[in-house]
CSV table of all heavy atoms in Angstrom, one decimal:
chain,number,residue,atom,x,y,z
A,1,MET,N,112.0,-52.0,20.1
A,1,MET,CA,113.3,-52.6,20.0
A,1,MET,C,114.3,-51.5,20.6
A,1,MET,O,114.3,-50.4,20.2
A,1,MET,CB,113.6,-52.9,18.6
A,1,MET,CG,115.0,-53.4,18.4
A,1,MET,SD,115.6,-54.9,19.2
A,1,MET,CE,114.4,-56.1,18.7
A,2,ALA,N,115.1,-52.0,21.5
A,2,ALA,CA,116.1,-51.1,22.1
A,2,ALA,C,117.2,-50.8,21.1
A,2,ALA,O,117.5,-51.6,20.2
A,2,ALA,CB,116.7,-51.8,23.3
A,3,LYS,N,117.9,-49.7,21.3
A,3,LYS,CA,119.0,-49.4,20.4
A,3,LYS,C,120.1,-50.4,20.5
A,3,LYS,O,120.3,-50.9,21.6
A,3,LYS,CB,119.6,-48.0,20.7
A,3,LYS,CG,118.6,-46.9,20.3
A,3,LYS,CD,119.3,-45.5,20.4
A,3,LYS,CE,118.4,-44.5,19.9
A,3,LYS,NZ,119.0,-43.1,19.9
A,4,ALA,N,120.7,-50.7,19.4
A,4,ALA,CA,121.8,-51.8,19.4
A,4,ALA,C,121.3,-53.1,19.7
A,4,ALA,O,122.0,-54.0,20.2
A,4,ALA,CB,123.0,-51.4,20.2
A,5,GLY,N,120.0,-53.4,19.5
A,5,GLY,CA,119.4,-54.7,19.8
A,5,GLY,C,119.6,-55.6,18.6
A,5,GLY,O,120.2,-55.3,17.5
A,6,THR,N,119.1,-56.8,18.7
A,6,THR,CA,119.2,-57.8,17.6
A,6,THR,C,117.7,-58.3,17.3
A,6,THR,O,117.0,-58.6,18.2
A,6,THR,CB,120.0,-59.1,18.1
A,6,THR,OG1,121.3,-58.7,18.4
A,6,THR,CG2,120.0,-60.1,17.0
A,7,VAL,N,117.4,-58.3,16.0
A,7,VAL,CA,116.1,-58.7,15.5
A,7,VAL,C,116.4,-60.0,14.7
A,7,VAL,O,117.2,-60.0,13.8
A,7,VAL,CB,115.5,-57.7,14.5
A,7,VAL,CG1,114.2,-58.2,14.0
A,7,VAL,CG2,115.3,-56.4,15.3
A,8,SER,N,115.8,-61.1,15.1
A,8,SER,CA,115.9,-62.4,14.4
A,8,SER,C,114.6,-62.7,13.7
A,8,SER,O,113.6,-62.7,14.4
A,8,SER,CB,116.3,-63.5,15.3
A,8,SER,OG,117.6,-63.2,15.8
A,9,ILE,N,114.6,-63.1,12.5
A,9,ILE,CA,113.4,-63.5,11.7
A,9,ILE,C,113.6,-64.9,11.3
A,9,ILE,O,114.5,-65.2,10.5
A,9,ILE,CB,113.2,-62.5,10.5
A,9,ILE,CG1,113.2,-61.1,11.0
A,9,ILE,CG2,112.0,-62.9,9.7
A,9,ILE,CD1,113.2,-60.1,9.9
A,10,ILE,N,112.7,-65.8,11.7
A,10,ILE,CA,112.8,-67.2,11.4
A,10,ILE,C,111.5,-67.6,10.8
A,10,ILE,O,110.4,-67.3,11.4
A,10,ILE,CB,113.1,-68.0,12.6
A,10,ILE,CG1,114.4,-67.6,13.3
A,10,ILE,CG2,113.2,-69.5,12.2
A,10,ILE,CD1,114.6,-68.1,14.6
A,11,GLY,N,111.4,-68.3,9.7
A,11,GLY,CA,110.2,-68.7,9.2
A,11,GLY,C,110.2,-68.9,7.7
A,11,GLY,O,111.2,-69.0,7.1
A,12,VAL,N,109.0,-69.0,7.1
A,12,VAL,CA,108.8,-69.1,5.7
A,12,VAL,C,108.0,-67.9,5.2
A,12,VAL,O,106.9,-67.6,5.7
A,12,VAL,CB,108.0,-70.4,5.4
A,12,VAL,CG1,107.8,-70.6,3.9
A,12,VAL,CG2,108.8,-71.6,5.9
A,13,TYR,N,108.6,-67.1,4.3
A,13,TYR,CA,108.0,-65.9,3.9
A,13,TYR,C,107.8,-65.8,2.4
A,13,TYR,O,108.6,-66.4,1.7
A,13,TYR,CB,108.8,-64.7,4.4
A,13,TYR,CG,108.9,-64.6,5.9
A,13,TYR,CD1,110.0,-65.2,6.6
A,13,TYR,CD2,108.0,-63.9,6.6
A,13,TYR,CE1,110.0,-65.2,7.9
A,13,TYR,CE2,108.0,-63.9,8.0
A,13,TYR,CZ,109.1,-64.5,8.6
A,13,TYR,OH,109.1,-64.4,10.0
A,14,GLY,N,106.8,-65.1,2.0
A,14,GLY,CA,106.6,-64.8,0.6
A,14,GLY,C,107.4,-63.6,0.2
A,14,GLY,O,108.3,-63.2,0.8
A,15,GLU,N,107.0,-63.0,-0.9
A,15,GLU,CA,107.6,-61.8,-1.4
A,15,GLU,C,107.5,-60.7,-0.4
A,15,GLU,O,106.4,-60.4,0.1
A,15,GLU,CB,107.0,-61.4,-2.8
A,15,GLU,CG,107.7,-60.3,-3.5
A,15,GLU,CD,109.0,-60.6,-4.0
A,15,GLU,OE1,109.3,-61.8,-4.3
A,15,GLU,OE2,109.9,-59.7,-4.1
A,16,VAL,N,108.6,-60.0,-0.2
A,16,VAL,CA,108.6,-58.9,0.7
A,16,VAL,C,109.0,-57.7,-0.1
A,16,VAL,O,110.1,-57.6,-0.7
A,16,VAL,CB,109.6,-59.1,1.9
A,16,VAL,CG1,109.6,-57.8,2.7
A,16,VAL,CG2,109.2,-60.3,2.7
A,17,ASN,N,108.1,-56.7,-0.2
A,17,ASN,CA,108.4,-55.5,-1.0
A,17,ASN,C,109.2,-54.4,-0.3
A,17,ASN,O,109.8,-53.6,-1.0
A,17,ASN,CB,107.0,-54.9,-1.5
A,17,ASN,CG,106.4,-55.9,-2.5
A,17,ASN,OD1,107.0,-56.6,-3.2
A,17,ASN,ND2,105.0,-55.9,-2.5
A,18,SER,N,109.1,-54.4,1.0
A,18,SER,CA,109.8,-53.3,1.7
A,18,SER,C,110.2,-53.7,3.1
A,18,SER,O,109.5,-54.6,3.7
A,18,SER,CB,109.0,-52.0,1.7
A,18,SER,OG,107.8,-52.2,2.5
A,19,PHE,N,111.3,-53.2,3.6
A,19,PHE,CA,111.7,-53.4,4.9
A,19,PHE,C,112.3,-52.1,5.4
A,19,PHE,O,113.0,-51.4,4.7
A,19,PHE,CB,112.9,-54.5,4.9
A,19,PHE,CG,113.4,-54.7,6.3
A,19,PHE,CD1,112.7,-55.6,7.1
A,19,PHE,CD2,114.6,-54.1,6.7
A,19,PHE,CE1,113.2,-55.8,8.4
A,19,PHE,CE2,115.1,-54.4,8.0
A,19,PHE,CZ,114.4,-55.2,8.8
A,20,PRO,N,111.9,-51.6,6.6
A,20,PRO,CA,112.3,-50.3,7.1
A,20,PRO,C,113.8,-50.3,7.4
A,20,PRO,O,114.2,-50.1,8.6
A,20,PRO,CB,111.5,-50.1,8.3
A,20,PRO,CG,111.2,-51.4,8.8
A,20,PRO,CD,111.1,-52.3,7.6
A,21,ILE,N,114.7,-50.4,6.4
A,21,ILE,CA,116.1,-50.5,6.7
A,21,ILE,C,116.7,-49.3,7.3
A,21,ILE,O,117.6,-49.3,8.1
A,21,ILE,CB,116.9,-50.9,5.4
A,21,ILE,CG1,118.3,-51.4,5.7
A,21,ILE,CG2,116.9,-49.8,4.3
A,21,ILE,CD1,118.4,-52.7,6.3
A,22,GLY,N,116.1,-48.1,6.9
A,22,GLY,CA,116.6,-46.9,7.5
A,22,GLY,C,116.4,-46.8,9.0
A,22,GLY,O,117.2,-46.4,9.8
A,23,ASN,N,115.2,-47.2,9.4
A,23,ASN,CA,114.9,-47.3,10.9
A,23,ASN,C,115.8,-48.2,11.6
A,23,ASN,O,116.3,-47.9,12.7
A,23,ASN,CB,113.4,-47.7,11.1
A,23,ASN,CG,112.4,-46.7,10.6
A,23,ASN,OD1,112.8,-45.6,10.3
A,23,ASN,ND2,111.2,-47.1,10.5
A,24,ALA,N,116.1,-49.4,11.0
A,24,ALA,CA,117.0,-50.3,11.6
A,24,ALA,C,118.4,-49.8,11.8
A,24,ALA,O,119.1,-49.9,12.8
A,24,ALA,CB,117.0,-51.6,10.9
A,25,MET,N,118.8,-49.1,10.7
A,25,MET,CA,120.2,-48.5,10.7
A,25,MET,C,120.3,-47.4,11.8
A,25,MET,O,121.3,-47.3,12.5
A,25,MET,CB,120.6,-48.0,9.4
A,25,MET,CG,120.8,-49.1,8.4
A,25,MET,SD,121.2,-48.5,6.7
A,25,MET,CE,122.8,-47.9,7.0
A,26,GLU,N,119.2,-46.6,11.9
A,26,GLU,CA,119.3,-45.5,12.9
A,26,GLU,C,119.4,-46.0,14.3
A,26,GLU,O,119.9,-45.4,15.2
A,26,GLU,CB,118.0,-44.6,12.8
A,26,GLU,CG,118.0,-43.7,11.6
A,26,GLU,CD,116.7,-43.0,11.4
A,26,GLU,OE1,115.9,-43.0,12.3
A,26,GLU,OE2,116.6,-42.3,10.3
A,27,LYS,N,118.8,-47.2,14.6
A,27,LYS,CA,118.9,-47.8,15.9
A,27,LYS,C,120.1,-48.8,16.1
A,27,LYS,O,120.3,-49.4,17.1
A,27,LYS,CB,117.6,-48.6,16.2
A,27,LYS,CG,116.4,-47.8,16.4
A,27,LYS,CD,115.2,-48.6,16.9
A,27,LYS,CE,114.1,-47.7,17.3
A,27,LYS,NZ,113.1,-48.4,18.0
A,28,ASN,N,120.9,-48.9,15.0
A,28,ASN,CA,122.1,-49.7,15.0
A,28,ASN,C,121.7,-51.2,15.4
A,28,ASN,O,122.4,-51.8,16.2
A,28,ASN,CB,123.1,-49.2,16.1
A,28,ASN,CG,124.5,-49.8,15.9
A,28,ASN,OD1,124.8,-50.2,14.8
A,28,ASN,ND2,125.2,-50.0,17.0
A,29,LEU,N,120.7,-51.7,14.7
A,29,LEU,CA,120.2,-53.0,14.9
A,29,LEU,C,121.0,-54.0,14.1
A,29,LEU,O,121.5,-53.7,13.0
A,29,LEU,CB,118.7,-53.1,14.6
A,29,LEU,CG,117.7,-52.3,15.3
A,29,LEU,CD1,116.3,-52.5,14.9
A,29,LEU,CD2,117.8,-52.6,16.8
A,30,THR,N,121.1,-55.2,14.7
A,30,THR,CA,121.6,-56.4,13.9
A,30,THR,C,120.4,-57.2,13.5
A,30,THR,O,119.6,-57.6,14.3
A,30,THR,CB,122.5,-57.2,14.8
A,30,THR,OG1,123.6,-56.4,15.3
A,30,THR,CG2,123.0,-58.4,14.1
A,31,VAL,N,120.3,-57.5,12.2
A,31,VAL,CA,119.2,-58.2,11.7
A,31,VAL,C,119.7,-59.5,11.1
A,31,VAL,O,120.6,-59.6,10.3
A,31,VAL,CB,118.5,-57.5,10.6
A,31,VAL,CG1,117.3,-58.3,10.0
A,31,VAL,CG2,118.0,-56.1,11.1
A,32,THR,N,119.2,-60.7,11.7
A,32,THR,CA,119.6,-62.0,11.1
A,32,THR,C,118.3,-62.6,10.7
A,32,THR,O,117.2,-62.5,11.3
A,32,THR,CB,120.3,-62.8,12.2
A,32,THR,OG1,119.4,-63.0,13.3
A,32,THR,CG2,121.6,-62.2,12.7
A,33,MET,N,118.4,-63.4,9.6
A,33,MET,CA,117.2,-64.1,9.1
A,33,MET,C,117.5,-65.3,8.3
A,33,MET,O,118.6,-65.4,7.9
A,33,MET,CB,116.3,-63.1,8.3
A,33,MET,CG,117.0,-62.5,7.1
A,33,MET,SD,116.0,-61.3,6.3
A,33,MET,CE,116.6,-59.8,7.1
A,34,GLY,N,116.5,-66.2,8.2
A,34,GLY,CA,116.7,-67.4,7.4
A,34,GLY,C,115.4,-68.2,7.4
A,34,GLY,O,114.5,-68.0,8.2
A,35,ASN,N,115.3,-69.1,6.4
A,35,ASN,CA,114.2,-70.0,6.3
A,35,ASN,C,114.3,-71.1,7.3
A,35,ASN,O,115.4,-71.5,7.7
A,35,ASN,CB,114.1,-70.5,4.9
A,35,ASN,CG,113.6,-69.5,3.9
A,35,ASN,OD1,112.8,-68.7,4.2
A,35,ASN,ND2,114.2,-69.6,2.7
A,36,CYS,N,113.2,-71.5,7.8
A,36,CYS,CA,113.2,-72.7,8.7
A,36,CYS,C,112.9,-73.9,7.9
A,36,CYS,O,112.3,-73.9,6.8
A,36,CYS,CB,112.2,-72.5,9.9
A,36,CYS,SG,110.5,-72.8,9.4
A,37,ASN,N,113.3,-75.1,8.4
A,37,ASN,CA,113.0,-76.4,7.8
A,37,ASN,C,111.6,-76.8,8.2
A,37,ASN,O,111.4,-77.8,8.9
A,37,ASN,CB,114.1,-77.4,8.2
A,37,ASN,CG,113.9,-78.7,7.4
A,37,ASN,OD1,113.1,-78.8,6.5
A,37,ASN,ND2,114.8,-79.6,7.8
A,38,HIS,N,110.6,-76.1,7.7
A,38,HIS,CA,109.2,-76.4,8.2
A,38,HIS,C,108.7,-77.8,7.8
A,38,HIS,O,107.9,-78.3,8.6
A,38,HIS,CB,108.2,-75.3,7.6
A,38,HIS,CG,108.1,-75.3,6.2
A,38,HIS,ND1,109.1,-74.8,5.3
A,38,HIS,CD2,107.1,-75.8,5.4
A,38,HIS,CE1,108.6,-74.9,4.1
A,38,HIS,NE2,107.5,-75.5,4.1
A,39,ARG,N,109.1,-78.3,6.7
A,39,ARG,CA,108.6,-79.7,6.3
A,39,ARG,C,109.0,-80.7,7.4
A,39,ARG,O,108.3,-81.7,7.6
A,39,ARG,CB,109.1,-80.0,5.0
A,39,ARG,CG,108.4,-79.2,3.9
A,39,ARG,CD,108.7,-79.8,2.5
A,39,ARG,NE,107.8,-79.2,1.5
A,39,ARG,CZ,108.2,-78.3,0.7
A,39,ARG,NH1,109.5,-77.9,0.7
A,39,ARG,NH2,107.4,-77.7,-0.2
A,40,ARG,N,110.1,-80.5,8.0
A,40,ARG,CA,110.5,-81.4,9.1
A,40,ARG,C,109.7,-81.3,10.3
A,40,ARG,O,109.4,-82.3,11.0
A,40,ARG,CB,112.0,-81.2,9.4
A,40,ARG,CG,112.5,-82.0,10.5
A,40,ARG,CD,113.9,-81.7,10.8
A,40,ARG,NE,114.4,-82.5,11.9
A,40,ARG,CZ,115.5,-82.4,12.5
A,40,ARG,NH1,116.4,-81.5,12.1
A,40,ARG,NH2,115.9,-83.1,13.5
A,41,TYR,N,109.3,-80.1,10.7
A,41,TYR,CA,108.6,-79.9,12.0
A,41,TYR,C,107.1,-79.9,12.0
A,41,TYR,O,106.5,-80.1,13.0
A,41,TYR,CB,109.1,-78.6,12.6
A,41,TYR,CG,110.6,-78.6,12.8
A,41,TYR,CD1,111.5,-77.9,12.0
A,41,TYR,CD2,111.2,-79.4,13.9
A,41,TYR,CE1,112.8,-77.9,12.2
A,41,TYR,CE2,112.5,-79.4,14.1
A,41,TYR,CZ,113.4,-78.7,13.2
A,41,TYR,OH,114.7,-78.7,13.4
A,42,ILE,N,106.5,-79.6,10.8
A,42,ILE,CA,105.0,-79.4,10.8
A,42,ILE,C,104.3,-80.7,11.3
A,42,ILE,O,103.3,-80.5,12.1
A,42,ILE,CB,104.6,-79.0,9.4
A,42,ILE,CG1,105.0,-77.6,9.1
A,42,ILE,CG2,103.1,-79.2,9.2
A,42,ILE,CD1,104.3,-76.5,10.0
A,43,PRO,N,104.6,-81.9,10.8
A,43,PRO,CA,103.8,-83.1,11.3
A,43,PRO,C,103.8,-83.2,12.8
A,43,PRO,O,102.8,-83.5,13.5
A,43,PRO,CB,104.5,-84.3,10.6
A,43,PRO,CG,105.1,-83.7,9.4
A,43,PRO,CD,105.6,-82.3,9.8
A,44,HIS,N,105.0,-83.0,13.4
A,44,HIS,CA,105.1,-83.1,14.9
A,44,HIS,C,104.3,-82.0,15.6
A,44,HIS,O,103.6,-82.2,16.6
A,44,HIS,CB,106.6,-83.0,15.3
A,44,HIS,CG,106.8,-83.2,16.8
A,44,HIS,ND1,106.5,-84.3,17.5
A,44,HIS,CD2,107.3,-82.3,17.6
A,44,HIS,CE1,106.8,-84.1,18.8
A,44,HIS,NE2,107.3,-82.9,18.9
A,45,LEU,N,104.4,-80.8,15.0
A,45,LEU,CA,103.7,-79.7,15.6
A,45,LEU,C,102.2,-79.9,15.5
A,45,LEU,O,101.4,-79.6,16.5
A,45,LEU,CB,104.1,-78.3,15.0
A,45,LEU,CG,105.5,-77.9,15.3
A,45,LEU,CD1,105.9,-76.7,14.4
A,45,LEU,CD2,105.7,-77.5,16.7
A,46,ILE,N,101.7,-80.4,14.4
A,46,ILE,CA,100.3,-80.6,14.3
A,46,ILE,C,99.8,-81.7,15.3
A,46,ILE,O,98.7,-81.5,15.9
A,46,ILE,CB,99.9,-81.1,12.8
A,46,ILE,CG1,100.1,-79.9,11.9
A,46,ILE,CG2,98.5,-81.7,12.7
A,46,ILE,CD1,100.0,-80.3,10.4
A,47,GLU,N,100.6,-82.7,15.5
A,47,GLU,CA,100.2,-83.7,16.5
A,47,GLU,C,100.2,-83.1,17.9
A,47,GLU,O,99.4,-83.4,18.7
A,47,GLU,CB,101.2,-84.9,16.5
A,47,GLU,CG,100.8,-86.0,17.4
A,47,GLU,CD,99.4,-86.5,17.2
A,47,GLU,OE1,98.9,-86.6,16.0
A,47,GLU,OE2,98.7,-86.8,18.2
A,48,LEU,N,101.1,-82.2,18.2
A,48,LEU,CA,101.1,-81.6,19.6
A,48,LEU,C,99.9,-80.7,19.8
A,48,LEU,O,99.3,-80.7,20.8
A,48,LEU,CB,102.4,-80.7,19.7
A,48,LEU,CG,103.7,-81.4,19.9
A,48,LEU,CD1,104.9,-80.4,19.9
A,48,LEU,CD2,103.7,-82.2,21.2
A,49,VAL,N,99.4,-80.0,18.7
A,49,VAL,CA,98.2,-79.2,18.8
A,49,VAL,C,97.0,-80.1,19.0
A,49,VAL,O,96.1,-79.9,19.8
A,49,VAL,CB,98.1,-78.3,17.6
A,49,VAL,CG1,96.7,-77.6,17.6
A,49,VAL,CG2,99.2,-77.3,17.6
A,50,ARG,N,96.9,-81.2,18.2
A,50,ARG,CA,95.8,-82.1,18.2
A,50,ARG,C,95.7,-82.8,19.6
A,50,ARG,O,94.6,-83.0,20.1
A,50,ARG,CB,95.9,-83.2,17.2
A,50,ARG,CG,95.6,-82.8,15.8
A,50,ARG,CD,95.6,-83.9,14.8
A,50,ARG,NE,95.3,-83.5,13.5
A,50,ARG,CZ,95.8,-84.1,12.4
A,50,ARG,NH1,96.5,-85.2,12.5
A,50,ARG,NH2,95.5,-83.6,11.2
A,51,SER,N,96.8,-83.1,20.2
A,51,SER,CA,96.8,-83.8,21.5
A,51,SER,C,96.5,-82.8,22.7
A,51,SER,O,96.3,-83.3,23.8
A,51,SER,CB,98.1,-84.5,21.7
A,51,SER,OG,99.1,-83.6,21.9
A,52,GLY,N,96.6,-81.5,22.4
A,52,GLY,CA,96.4,-80.6,23.4
A,52,GLY,C,97.6,-80.2,24.2
A,52,GLY,O,97.6,-79.5,25.2
A,53,ASN,N,98.8,-80.8,23.8
A,53,ASN,CA,100.0,-80.5,24.5
A,53,ASN,C,100.7,-79.2,24.1
A,53,ASN,O,101.7,-78.8,24.7
A,53,ASN,CB,101.0,-81.7,24.3
A,53,ASN,CG,100.6,-82.9,25.0
A,53,ASN,OD1,100.1,-82.9,26.1
A,53,ASN,ND2,100.8,-84.0,24.3
A,54,LEU,N,100.2,-78.6,23.1
A,54,LEU,CA,100.7,-77.3,22.6
A,54,LEU,C,99.5,-76.3,22.5
A,54,LEU,O,98.6,-76.6,21.7
A,54,LEU,CB,101.4,-77.4,21.3
A,54,LEU,CG,102.0,-76.1,20.7
A,54,LEU,CD1,103.1,-75.6,21.6
A,54,LEU,CD2,102.6,-76.4,19.3
A,55,ASN,N,99.5,-75.2,23.2
A,55,ASN,CA,98.5,-74.2,23.2
A,55,ASN,C,99.0,-73.1,22.3
A,55,ASN,O,99.8,-72.3,22.8
A,55,ASN,CB,98.1,-73.8,24.6
A,55,ASN,CG,97.0,-72.7,24.6
A,55,ASN,OD1,96.5,-72.3,23.6
A,55,ASN,ND2,96.6,-72.3,25.8
A,56,LEU,N,98.4,-72.9,21.1
A,56,LEU,CA,98.9,-71.9,20.2
A,56,LEU,C,98.5,-70.5,20.7
A,56,LEU,O,99.2,-69.5,20.3
A,56,LEU,CB,98.2,-72.1,18.8
A,56,LEU,CG,98.7,-73.4,18.1
A,56,LEU,CD1,98.1,-73.5,16.7
A,56,LEU,CD2,100.2,-73.3,17.9
A,57,LEU,N,97.6,-70.3,21.6
A,57,LEU,CA,97.2,-69.0,22.1
A,57,LEU,C,98.4,-68.4,22.8
A,57,LEU,O,98.5,-67.2,23.0
A,57,LEU,CB,96.0,-69.1,23.0
A,57,LEU,CG,94.7,-69.5,22.3
A,57,LEU,CD1,93.6,-69.5,23.2
A,57,LEU,CD2,94.4,-68.5,21.1
A,58,LYS,N,99.3,-69.2,23.3
A,58,LYS,CA,100.5,-68.6,24.0
A,58,LYS,C,101.5,-68.0,23.0
A,58,LYS,O,102.3,-67.2,23.4
A,58,LYS,CB,101.2,-69.7,24.8
A,58,LYS,CG,100.5,-70.2,26.0
A,58,LYS,CD,101.3,-71.3,26.7
A,58,LYS,CE,100.5,-71.7,27.9
A,58,LYS,NZ,101.3,-72.7,28.7
A,59,PHE,N,101.4,-68.4,21.7
A,59,PHE,CA,102.3,-67.9,20.7
A,59,PHE,C,101.7,-66.8,19.8
A,59,PHE,O,102.4,-66.0,19.2
A,59,PHE,CB,102.8,-69.1,19.9
A,59,PHE,CG,103.6,-70.1,20.6
A,59,PHE,CD1,102.9,-71.2,21.1
A,59,PHE,CD2,104.9,-69.9,21.0
A,59,PHE,CE1,103.6,-72.2,21.8
A,59,PHE,CE2,105.6,-70.8,21.7
A,59,PHE,CZ,104.9,-72.0,22.2
A,60,LEU,N,100.4,-66.9,19.6
A,60,LEU,CA,99.7,-66.0,18.6
A,60,LEU,C,99.3,-64.7,19.4
A,60,LEU,O,98.7,-64.8,20.5
A,60,LEU,CB,98.5,-66.7,18.0
A,60,LEU,CG,98.8,-68.0,17.2
A,60,LEU,CD1,97.6,-68.6,16.8
A,60,LEU,CD2,99.8,-67.7,16.1
A,61,ARG,N,99.5,-63.6,18.8
A,61,ARG,CA,99.1,-62.3,19.4
A,61,ARG,C,98.7,-61.4,18.4
A,61,ARG,O,99.1,-61.5,17.2
A,61,ARG,CB,100.2,-61.8,20.3
A,61,ARG,CG,101.4,-61.4,19.6
A,61,ARG,CD,102.5,-60.8,20.5
A,61,ARG,NE,103.7,-60.4,19.8
A,61,ARG,CZ,103.9,-59.3,19.2
A,61,ARG,NH1,103.0,-58.3,19.3
A,61,ARG,NH2,105.0,-59.0,18.6
A,62,ARG,N,98.0,-60.3,18.8
A,62,ARG,CA,97.6,-59.3,17.8
A,62,ARG,C,98.1,-58.0,18.4
A,62,ARG,O,98.0,-57.7,19.5
A,62,ARG,CB,96.1,-59.2,17.7
A,62,ARG,CG,95.6,-58.1,16.9
A,62,ARG,CD,94.1,-58.1,16.8
A,62,ARG,NE,93.8,-58.4,15.4
A,62,ARG,CZ,92.6,-58.6,15.0
A,62,ARG,NH1,91.6,-58.5,15.8
A,62,ARG,NH2,92.4,-58.8,13.7
A,63,GLY,N,98.8,-57.2,17.5
A,63,GLY,CA,99.3,-55.9,17.9
A,63,GLY,C,100.6,-55.9,18.6
A,63,GLY,O,101.3,-56.9,18.7
A,64,ASN,N,101.0,-54.8,19.2
A,64,ASN,CA,102.3,-54.6,19.8
A,64,ASN,C,102.2,-55.1,21.3
A,64,ASN,O,101.1,-55.1,21.9
A,64,ASN,CB,102.7,-53.2,19.8
A,64,ASN,CG,103.0,-52.7,18.4
A,64,ASN,OD1,103.5,-53.5,17.6
A,64,ASN,ND2,102.8,-51.4,18.2
A,65,ARG,N,103.3,-55.5,21.8
A,65,ARG,CA,103.3,-56.0,23.2
A,65,ARG,C,103.3,-54.8,24.1
A,65,ARG,O,103.7,-53.8,23.9
A,65,ARG,CB,104.6,-56.8,23.5
A,65,ARG,CG,104.5,-58.1,22.8
A,65,ARG,CD,105.8,-58.9,23.2
A,65,ARG,NE,105.7,-60.2,22.5
A,65,ARG,CZ,106.4,-61.2,22.8
A,65,ARG,NH1,107.3,-61.1,23.7
A,65,ARG,NH2,106.3,-62.3,22.1
């Protein structure tokens, strides 16, 4: 993340015990976050995956970019 960048967190999360707030402050980051309305979108997304119109491999990754 570049200095003075913005990090946005969207999704549904469980308990979070720690967040590197000191690292974010040192980089002067703006952090925005909130829950998504997943119950509204899940049925449509499942249908897109089943039909082959949505390839999840484009969105899922392992490790850093």
